[in-house]
Amino acid sequence: MTASHSEAGFSLVETLVALAIIAGMSALLFESVSANAHFAQTVAKRRDAVLLAQSLLAAVEAPSDSASAADTGSVRGLTWRITRISRSGGARDSGVPLQEVWIVISDRATGRGLTDVRTLRLSR
């Protein structure tokens, strides 16, 4: 009782089905790894944007001579814009001079906004 020739191993169809399953699983794995890498890059860009916005906000000193002034710049693939607007009669018309500071950070390559910070400060 010996096995016949047709039962000795895997057929070509069985091998092709196994290869198709492996290829499908590999494609799903590659898509998952690619999406994860893109997400990690986006998170890192946003983290850099928030840190830059905090640094710029800390660097904003006394208001400029004009009622409204804008500063722009770029660093490490990020562009930023600072807008200062003097607000007279702030704090519910108590006469305290206020200044609105608006910082916008965008991705230089895509132009997509990453973070936006607005705050009121006392004018000096």
Side-chain angles (χ1 to χ4, degrees), residues 7-26:
E7 298 175 13
F10 295 109
S11 70
L12 180 61
V13 173
E14 291 171 332
T15 305
L16 289 176
V17 167
L19 287 175
I21 291 172
I22 290 171
M25 298 292 281
S26 297

Side-chain angles (χ1 to χ4, degrees), residues 41 45 49 76-80 105-115:
Q41 183 181 17
K45 278 270 194 200
R76 291 189 326 243
L78 301 173
T79 58
W80 51 271
I105 311 288
S106 302
D107 186 353
R108 188 183 337 176
T110 62
R112 193 184 82 215
L114 296 173
T115 190

